[in-house]
Every structure is written in C-alpha cells, then in structure tokens.
Amino acid sequence: MKILLPTPLRQYSGKQPSVELKASTVGEALSGLVSQHPDLRRHLYNEDGKLRAFVNVYLNDEDVRYLEKDATPVSDGDTISIVPSIAGGKEVDGLSNFWIAELNCSCPMRCCPACCC
Amino acid sequence: MATTTEIQPATLSNDEILRYSRHLIMPEVGMEGQQKLKAARVLCIGAGGLGSPLALYLTAAGVGTLGIVDFDVVDYTNLQRQIIHSTADVGRKKLDSAAEKLKAINPFVEIRKYDTRLSSDNALEIFRDFDIIADGTDNFPTRYLVNDACVITGKPNVYGSIFRFEGQASVFATKDGPCYRCLYPEPPPPGLVPSCAEGGVLGILPGLVGVMQATEVIKLILGAGEPLIGRLLLIDALGMKFRELKLRKNPDCPVCGTHPTITKLIDYNEFCGIRGEETAVETGVPEIQVEELKRRLDAGDDLFVLDVREPHEYQICNINGHLIPLGDLPKRVHELDTSREIVAHCRSGVRSAKAVTFLQQAGFKKVTNLAGGILAWADRVDPKMPKY
C-alpha cells in the first residue's frame, strides 16, 4: 500500500512524495512510515504517542476517524493520505500559514510566509 | 440540483442583457440565473492571492454586490500572484486598488469596501449583509473566525487555501454540510517546528484555487451542479493531480454539532495560541550591526561568516558566507571552529538568532548574530544587492 505525504512533510521523508509499504491496519502503516522516516514522528504524533489533532488521515477518500481509526484494515491497493491543515497565502503579521511554520515572528518585511526571515 | 442559498432574482437592463449574453444563452444560467447573480451579495475576505481571481471573476460574472474586507497595502512582492493589483498600485490600499479594477471591469456591480481587519467584534455585523462568504484569508485565526461566523450566521463558507504547490477547496457551513472545524477541530500549535525554508507559493496556485472558489460561489447562487459540500478537493499543481476526500459533519463539532459549545465568536488569536507581542527576534543573542561587520571585514579581521539560509536563497544574494542551512547545523557543526569568531546571518536575522543560540549551547563562545540579516546589508551596505 501507499502513503501520500503533503509537500511540507517531504523534507522529513528524504523528499519522497509517497512511501510504499506493507501493513494490515492504518496504525501499522503509520508506524511503518515513522520507523522508515523517524523525523516524521514528531510531526504526526504528540508526546503521548497520539496522532496530532490537526493531522487528518484518510484511507482512500474516507477519514479514518469515521472508520476504525488506527485499527482500520488496509489492503494492498489502498492509499493513505496525510492531510494537514493549511491556512493559505502569506503575511498578515507574520502569522503562520502552515502548521509546521512558526508563528511568533515579527519580521517587518512580512515576505516569507513560513517565518519571515 | 443542490440549492443552498435562496436568492430572489433582480431585473436586468438592456446593457446588462448584452453584457451577460453568453450566460443568458446557456440554459444552466439563463435569465433567471443571471438575475439571481445580480441579486446575490458575496463577501470576499481578503483581496490578496485568492481574493484577486475570486473578485475579478465574480464581478465579471455579474454578482450584484461584492463586499471585500482587507486592511492591507499592496506590496511589491504581492504582484507575483495578486493579479488584481498592478505595479502602480504598490503602496496603495488593496481595497482601493481592487475596487478600481472591479469597477472598470463591470460598473453594474456594487462594490462594498470594508477597510478593517476582520475580527470577533465586526464579523457578525459585516456578514449579516451578505449571502455567501468566500474565505481568501491566509492565517489560522481568521480561518476559524470566518468559519464560526458563517456557522453562527448561517452563511455558506466557500473555502480555499494554498501552500507552495498545493491547494485545498471546499464549501463549509451549509445547512447540512460539515464546517471547517469538523475537518480540523483545532489549529496546529504555533512554533511546533521552526521551518524557515518552507515559505513561498507558486504564483498561479491562488489563481487556480481562487477560480475554483468563484465557481463554487456561482454554483451556490444558481443552485446548479454539485457544490463541494462534504468534499475536500486537494489540488497538487506540480503533479497536476486533483483528489477528493469525503468530509462528514461531526456531530460533536463544537460549533456546528448537535450540542455546540461555541455559540458566539471567541478570541481566535488566543485559540490559535498566538501570544500578543511576543517576538522571535528578541532572543537576547549578541548582535553585530551590518556597518560594523563591513568595517571589520574590510580591515581584514579574522571573522567567519556563517550563512544559515537555504541554498536557493544563497543563489539570490550572498556575502560569501559559509552556507549551512539552519536545519543542517546540528549535523554539520563540526565544520565550524570554536576558536574563531563567527558571525551568523540569514535573511532578516531570525533564523541566525536561533543558530547563535544553538552554537552557544554547543559551546561556541564567540558567536554573534548579524542584526537585520542580509536585508540590512542590502539596505545599508550594498544597495546593489537584490532583496527578496
């Protein structure tokens, strides 16, 4: 099966847009993903090992929250998508527009959406 | 046919009939649809990347009343994607620049300007006079504010957002459909991961997504086709791939669920974890001014200039620093000599302040941050250097 990664997370997956692996559940697939790419772990999971609330995981076109979450069975042809929240365009007081970006930036130029520096 | 917004038709003049003739001869729009467009009142939040194509197309299409909320001024770096503004508009209010273009395209449209930052204090009042809200904002607090205000006032939220090469679009907060909070109950915490290299947006992308929002607005007005209700469209411009995910209305949603806990607008900056005036710049690391650095380099002092930007930024301009992107610093720290005096710089000084803090913790004693970064260098030392 395949896990599709959004652009901003690809820097933690060796620039790969997707990862192919074998798994029987969504949880297994995700743990396979973070063991292949350990840098991804803290972007997807909180300190308690739970999936972060602003990271949505889809199995094909269904939100796994409405399936069986981590226990949702997966098979070979399936695709898991990680769908982060994005806010958009840029600037507005240097506020972040993507969840990996930094918020408390006061750069007067306001020209870099992620952190203005 | 999904009708989510009931709009009573308005009558058209002969000039308008001619102008909209390519709509009128299409049965899906026709006279009735065009009259609905004329009667419709659409509010665009923001006149930037998404707002530009949105407002331009809605105006051209004959939406009768178009409101725009924006408090910003046109910046030179906006022009790469905010196509409603032109070079001569740099420094003008986006509202004035946008209104002028829209009036020129279609004088039959009433443009209502809201020269303000959308806030919990004014959102409900502004929304009241519109039928549909199109969210073209660019930050999380306003996203949640727009969503909650749409749910509270019962107006559909035509949503679009972009990041680098990717976009998302949906229609939230219709009567039976999910809202933004059903999809993302809470915002990401600020500063989860510092990632300065992740900025930028491909200029055409807001065009693509903004036009999709305009399409959805027009479908909602006409009651035609299948709106993006309960569907999240994912746009990958690099792969030119469009995917669709199912969205469900969350019965436990704090704002649109069966037992809502949020029934009035809240403090969205606080909700998104943004703390007032706190800045990343004031880290208290030792600084050197650009003039001082220039003087010392010219004097032949033994200074090691460390550039912590990304390689693509180095290509735009550099001061011959040794390039180690901030993210690579931990694993490449051995390239640096603890005994030498190091001046770290980035674009404006934020990343390099982090680099200085990191190096201090790693035992470097003689590290300073170039105040204002290479931008200050371009402003005060080398005016020929390009800025970005």
Side-chain angles (χ1 to χ4, degrees), chain A residues 1-111:
Chain A
M1 61 151 321
K2 193 195 243 183
I3 301 183
L4 297 180
L5 296 169
T7 319
L9 287 185
R10 292 178 195 166
Q11 58 179 310
Y12 310 106
S13 67
K15 307 247 151 101
Q16 291 180 65
S18 64
V19 173
E20 294 271 356
L21 40 77
K22 288 220 175 294
S24 56
T25 63
V26 167
E28 218 178 285
L30 292 175
S31 49
L33 172 72
V34 296
S35 57
Q36 272 186 38
H37 302 286
D39 290 348
L40 276 172
R41 182 179 299 275
R42 68 196 186 111
H43 299 274
L44 300 179
Y45 294 96
N46 65 17
E47 293 73 18
D48 306 329
K50 289 176 82 174
L51 207 59
R52 292 185 183 277
F54 47 86
V55 176
N56 286 346
V57 175
Y58 280 79
L59 175 62
N60 302 321
D61 64 352
E62 278 284 5
D63 190 334
V64 299
R65 281 184 294 197
Y66 296 104
L67 299 170
E68 294 164 58
K69 299 180 178 153
D70 269 5
T72 310
V74 296
S75 49
D76 275 358
D78 285 340
T79 300
I80 289 178
S81 308
I82 295 170
V83 184
S85 50
I86 56 177
K90 56 162 272 177
E91 64 211 315
V92 179
D93 290 359
L95 297 186
S96 157
N97 61 15
F98 186 75
W99 59 270
I100 63 161
E102 212 167 7
L103 282 176
N104 295 316
C105 179
S106 65
C107 169
M109 297 299 292
R110 292 190 193 170
C111 39

Side-chain angles (χ1 to χ4, degrees), chain B residues 40-296:
Chain B
R41 302 163 303 167
V42 179
L43 182 67
C44 290
I45 315 293
L50 295 167
S52 290
L54 240 172
L56 288 168
Y57 270 107
L58 292 180
T59 298
V63 165
T65 305
L66 189 76
I68 307 174
V69 187
D70 204 301
F71 62 92
D72 212 354
V73 166
V74 181
D75 182 272
Y76 205 66
T77 63
N78 296 155
L79 301 174
Q80 158 260 19
R81 66 194 177 288
Q82 301 184 12
I83 55 168
I84 204 167
H85 311 297
S86 50
T87 310
D89 295 315
V90 171
R92 286 180 80 195
K93 280 188 176 298
K94 286 187 179 175
L95 264 189
D96 295 336
S97 159
E100 195 176 281
K101 309 302 177 343
L102 298 174
K103 273 285 165 204
I105 287 173
N106 191 346
F108 296 106
V109 173
E110 182 193 338
I111 308 293
R112 292 191 195 154
K113 300 193 278 184
Y114 296 88
D115 183 6
T116 180
R117 182 194 294 265
L118 194 73
S119 71
S120 299
D121 295 329
N122 61 25
L124 296 180
E125 202 187 316
I126 297 174
F127 282 24
R128 195 157 293 137
D129 294 331
F130 293 90
D131 306 305
I132 297 172
I133 315 300
D135 182 358
T137 55
D138 50 12
N139 63 88
F140 286 113
T142 318
R143 291 278 182 205
Y144 283 93
L145 166 62
V146 170
N147 180 72
D148 293 1
C150 281
V151 173
I152 290 168
T153 56
K155 321 263 175 178
N157 170 9
V158 178
Y159 166 90
S161 71
I162 46 170
F163 186 77
R164 303 191 92 195
F165 300 104
E166 291 181 27
Q168 300 180 350
S170 191
V171 174
F172 291 122
T174 57
K175 196 162 156 283
D176 302 310
C179 79
Y180 182 62
R181 279 188 195 256
C182 296
L183 174 62
Y184 297 114
E186 52 185 85
L192 180 67
V193 177
S195 178
C196 293
E198 277 299 310
V201 64
L202 192 65
I204 53 91
L205 188 63
L208 200 57
V209 176
V211 169
M212 286 177 177
Q213 287 178 275
T215 311
E216 290 306 303
V217 168
I218 285 174
K219 281 160 56 187
L220 289 177
I221 295 169
L222 298 177
E226 285 178 48
L228 271 177
I229 298 168
R231 298 185 286 151
L232 180 71
L233 185 67
L234 300 180
I235 300 129
D236 166 11
L238 268 193
M240 204 46 101
K241 287 200 172 109
F242 295 74
R243 290 191 301 137
E244 191 182 305
L245 303 176
K246 284 186 194 139
L247 301 182
R248 292 175 195 277
K249 193 174 173 77
N250 178 3
D252 300 324
C253 175
V255 61
C256 80
T258 44
H259 301 285
T261 52
I262 297 167
T263 51
K264 57 183 180 21
L265 300 178
I266 58 173
D267 180 337
Y268 291 89
N269 280 340
E270 192 191 333
F271 174 64
C272 294
I274 295 154
R275 295 169 297 278
E277 297 300 304
E278 190 178 335
T279 71
V281 184
E282 289 158 23
T283 46
V285 301
E287 287 191 336
I288 181 171
Q289 298 300 319
V290 288
E291 293 84 357
E292 173 73 1
L293 176 63
K294 165 81 169 135
R295 191 189 60 72
R296 293 193 54 195

